[in-house]
C-alpha cells in the first residue's frame, strides 16, 4: 500500500495552548504571509457560531494513579552516588584499576591503568572474559583474570593469541539513589508542606492535565470541523509553491541522512513511499495546499474576529517553549542548531499561538451540550 506523504508530515496546526491573555498591547512582529491578501477572496468560512461542543468530563483520579505519578517523580529526582562496598554485576557502572602481565612476565602500554578506568560491565569493549570475570566481585578486592587475546587482535598485532593475566581491582560503582517521599523531598520539590498536601497536589495536577487535554481535543475538533467545511476559492500559488519546495527539500535532506546519495533520490522514493517522481510531486502539492489552507483559515478567522497576536504573548510562547525543553536559550541553540526565535519562525509558532487565541474565543461562546 502506498504511503501518503500527507500522513507522514506534521502539516495540520499544532495546538500549543499557552493560556495567553492580554489586550491593548503592541502586535507581535511576526511575519504574516497573507497580510496583503483579502482572505475573503481565497476562503469562505463556515458559520462556526452554530457549532456545539461540550465541557471536559474529568473522572476523579484514583489513589493508584497518584502513587504511580509520585513514583515517577521520585525516579526523576534520583541521583547517582559512588559506593565502595558491596558486589558488582553486569550492567553496573564501575571504576577499576588493572595491570596486565604477559606469559614472559613483561607488560606493555595499554595493559595497565592505575589512574582508574570507568566502564559499564557488559557494555565495554574489552577482550573476552575480562568483564565476565568481574561479575560478583567485591568492591575493594583484586581479581585475577587468566585470559587470552583473540587472534588476530587488530589493536596490537603483537598481542594476537597471547595469554595474559590481569590483576583487576574494583574501586567503586555508581548506584542510583531514589529519594524517599518525606517532608524534606516535598518542601524541596513543591509548595506543599506535608506529604499529604503533596499527594493532594499531585492528584490536582493529574486532574488538571486531563482537563486541559480534553479541552485541547475539543478545540481541535472545532478547528477540524471549520477546516472541513471551509470552501477554498483559490490558492495563493506563490505560497503553495514555497511550501512545496520546503517539503521537497525536507525529504531530499531526509534521504541523505539515511544514506541515500543525491543520485539515488528515485530509489529513495520507491523504497520509502513506493512512488515515482510524478506521484511524489502530486502528493507534495496536496500537502502544501493543505497547509496553506489551514494557514488561510487562521488568518481569515483573525480578520473576522479582530484578533491579533501581541508581542508579549508571542514572547511568552517562546519562553514556554524553552521551559518545555528544560533548556535555556544558549543550550537550545546548541542542541537544535538554531535560536528559539528562528525555530519558532520556521515552525510557524506565531500561527499556532494566534490559532490558540481564536479557538479560546470561539469555544467560550459556543453552546455546550
Amino acid at each position: 500500500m502506498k504511503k501518503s506523504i500527507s500522513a507522514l508530515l506534521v502539516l495540520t496546526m499544532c495546538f500549543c495552548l499557552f493560556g495567553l491573555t492580554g489586550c491593548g498591547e503592541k502586535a507581535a512582529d511576526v511575519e504574516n504571509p497573507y497580510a496583503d491578501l483579502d482572505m475573503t477572496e481565497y476562503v469562505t468560512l463556515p458559520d462556526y457560531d452554530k457549532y456545539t461542543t461540550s465541557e471536559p468530563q474529568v473522572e476523579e483520579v484514583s489513589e493508584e494513579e497518584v502513587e504511580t505519578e509520585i513514583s515517577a517523580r521520585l525516579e526523576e529526582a534520583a541521583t547517582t552516588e559512588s559506593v565502595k562496598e558491596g558486589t558488582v554485576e553486569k550492567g553496573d557502572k564501575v571504576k577499576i584499576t588493572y595491570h596486565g602481565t604477559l606469559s614472559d612476565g613483561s607488560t606493555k602500554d595499554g595493559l595497565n591503568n592505575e589512574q582508574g578506568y570507568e566502564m559499564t560491565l557488559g557494555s565495554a569493549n574489552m577482550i573476552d572474559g575480562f568483564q565476565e570475570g568481574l561479575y560478583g566481585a567485591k568492591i575493594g578486592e583484586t581479581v585475577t583474570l587468566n585470559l587470552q587475546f583473540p587472534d588476530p587482535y587488530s589493536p596490537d598485532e603483537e598481542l594476537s593469541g597471547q595469554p595474559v593475566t590481569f590483576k583487576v581491582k574494583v574501586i567503586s560503582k555508581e548506584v542510583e539513589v531514589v529519594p524517599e517521599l518525606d517532608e524534606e523531598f516535598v518542601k524541596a520539590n513543591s509548595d506543599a508542606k506535608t506529604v499529604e498536601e503533596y499527594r493532594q497536589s499531585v492528584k490536582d495536577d493529574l486532574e488538571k492535565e486531563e482537563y486541559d487535554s480534553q479541552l485541547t481535543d475539543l478545540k481541535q475538533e472545532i478547528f477540524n470541523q471549520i477546516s472541513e467545511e471551509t470552501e477554498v476559492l483559490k490558492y495563493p500559488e506563490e505560497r503553495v509553491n514555497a511550501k512545496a519546495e520546503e517539503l521537497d527539500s525536507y525529504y531530499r535532506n531526509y534521504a541523505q541522512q539515511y544514506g541515500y546519495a543525491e543520485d539515488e533520490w528515485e530509489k529513495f522514493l520507491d523504497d520509502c513511499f513506493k512512488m515515482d517522481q510524478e506521484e511524489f510531486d502530486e502528493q507534495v502539492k496536496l500537502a502544501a495546499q493543505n497547509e496553506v489552507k489551514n494557514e488561510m483559515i487562521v488568518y481569515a478567522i483573525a480578520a473576522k474576529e479582530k484578533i491579533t497576536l501581541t508581542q508579549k504573548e508571542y514572547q511568552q510562547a517562546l519562553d514556554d517553549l524553552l521551559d518545555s525543553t528544560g533548556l535555556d536559550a544558549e543550550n537550545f541553540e546548541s542542541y537544535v542548531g538554531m535560536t528559539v526565535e528562528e525555530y519558532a519562525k520556521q515552525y510557524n509558532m506565531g500561527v499556532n499561538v494566534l490559532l490558540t487565541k481564536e479557538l479560546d474565543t470561539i469555544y467560550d461562546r459556543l453552546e455546550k451540550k
Side-chain angles (χ1 to χ4, degrees):
M1 179 182 296
K2 288 182 181 176
K3 297 178 182 178
S4 168
I5 291 178
S6 299
L8 299 174
L9 297 171
V10 183
L11 296 173
T12 54
M13 298 295 102
C14 301
F15 285 83
C16 307
L17 300 184
F18 296 103
L20 302 173
T21 59
C23 59
E25 300 170 18
K26 180 182 177 182
D29 184 20
V30 180
E31 180 183 0
N32 175 0
Y34 306 95
D36 297 330
L37 304 180
D38 180 355
M39 299 313 301
T40 61
E41 296 179 3
Y42 289 83
V43 293
T44 300
L45 296 172
D47 185 4
Y48 48 75
D49 281 329
K50 293 183 178 179
Y51 293 172
T52 59
T53 185
S54 59
E55 299 278 2
Q57 302 295 321
V58 179
E59 296 182 1
E60 184 177 1
V61 173
S62 69
E63 291 303 316
E64 182 179 355
E65 291 172 309
V66 171
E67 292 305 316
T68 299
E69 175 64 18
I70 290 176
S71 295
R73 294 186 184 188
L74 291 173
E75 286 286 348
E76 188 176 349
T79 58
T80 57
E81 293 183 5
S82 179
V83 298
K84 297 185 177 181
E85 58 183 22
T87 59
V88 297
E89 300 294 343
K90 182 177 181 179
D92 286 342
K93 184 174 182 179
V94 300
K95 184 176 182 179
I96 62 173
T97 59
Y98 57 86
H99 178 81
T101 306
L102 300 175
S103 57
D104 61 1
S106 66
T107 187
K108 296 186 65 174
D109 291 341
L111 299 185
N112 306 287
N113 189 315
E114 300 299 334
Q115 304 303 314
Y117 178 72
E118 293 184 352
M119 59 186 285
T120 299
L121 292 179
S123 301
N125 185 22
M126 310 295 283
I127 65 173
D128 288 347
F130 189 99
Q131 298 175 87
E132 294 83 353
L134 298 180
Y135 296 167
K138 291 182 179 180
I139 298 175
E141 79 172 2
T142 299
V143 179
T144 300
L145 305 176
N146 295 307
L147 307 174
Q148 185 172 1
F149 284 100
D151 190 4
Y153 183 60
S154 57
D156 188 338
E157 293 292 343
E158 292 184 0
L159 296 177
S160 297
Q162 286 202 45
V164 60
T165 298
F166 282 102
K167 299 287 187 180
V168 184
K169 184 175 182 178
V170 181
I171 305 300
S172 63
K173 73 172 179 179
E174 288 189 358
V175 297
E176 182 182 72
V177 180
V178 179
E180 294 184 9
L181 179 61
D182 52 23
E183 288 193 3
E184 181 180 355
F185 172 84
V186 165
K187 291 177 181 178
N189 293 276
S190 72
D191 294 328
K193 293 183 174 58
T194 67
V195 171
E196 284 311 307
E197 284 183 11
Y198 182 72
R199 290 184 191 278
Q200 183 61 51
S201 71
V202 171
K203 183 176 181 179
D204 293 342
D205 288 345
L206 292 175
E207 290 180 350
K208 184 179 185 304
E209 287 174 11
E210 178 59 23
Y211 180 92
D212 290 343
S213 176
Q214 289 187 27
L215 186 59
T216 299
D217 291 342
L218 291 168
K219 292 177 181 179
Q220 176 77 65
E221 290 172 5
I222 293 170
F223 182 77
N224 290 345
Q225 188 173 355
I226 292 174
S227 180
E228 182 179 342
E229 296 179 4
T230 292
E231 179 185 3
V232 178
L233 305 177
K234 60 180 178 179
Y235 287 98
E237 288 303 320
E238 184 177 344
R239 184 66 176 169
V240 172
N241 292 337
K243 289 289 184 183
E245 288 177 7
E246 288 177 9
L247 296 177
D248 181 86
S249 177
Y250 170 84
Y251 275 102
R252 289 182 184 273
N253 290 334
Y254 181 88
Q256 292 182 30
Q257 290 174 9
Y258 277 82
Y260 289 85
E262 287 188 31
D263 59 0
E264 294 180 310
W265 170 244
E266 292 185 0
K267 183 178 186 303
F268 167 77
L269 291 181
D270 184 59
D271 289 348
C272 294
F273 301 127
K274 303 303 178 187
M275 293 179 183
D276 59 23
Q277 184 66 51
E278 183 178 352
E279 292 171 313
F280 175 80
D281 289 342
E282 181 182 354
Q283 286 291 318
V284 163
K285 184 172 183 179
L286 290 173
Q289 287 178 335
N290 185 60
E291 186 170 359
V292 169
K293 174 186 176 180
N294 284 333
E295 287 182 346
M296 290 194 298
I297 291 171
V298 173
Y299 287 109
I301 293 175
K304 178 182 177 180
E305 301 286 344
K306 295 182 174 53
I307 293 175
T308 58
L309 176 62
T310 68
Q311 187 64 52
K312 181 178 180 180
E313 291 167 340
Y314 187 64
Q315 184 58 53
Q316 183 63 54
L318 299 183
D319 293 343
D320 288 345
L321 173 60
L322 286 176
D323 287 343
S324 70
T325 63
L327 302 172
D328 58 24
E330 182 178 349
N331 288 329
F332 183 95
E333 182 175 1
S334 176
Y335 184 80
V336 178
M338 63 182 84
T339 66
V340 66
E341 291 82 8
E342 292 168 339
Y343 180 91
K345 182 177 180 180
Q346 179 169 327
Y347 291 100
N348 281 343
M349 180 172 286
V351 177
N352 292 324
V353 181
L354 184 59
L355 177 58
T356 297
K357 290 190 70 175
E358 295 170 358
L359 292 176
D360 287 347
T361 298
I362 295 169
Y363 175 84
D364 287 344
R365 70 173 182 243
L366 289 184
E367 178 185 349
K368 310 300 189 293
K369 295 182 289 186

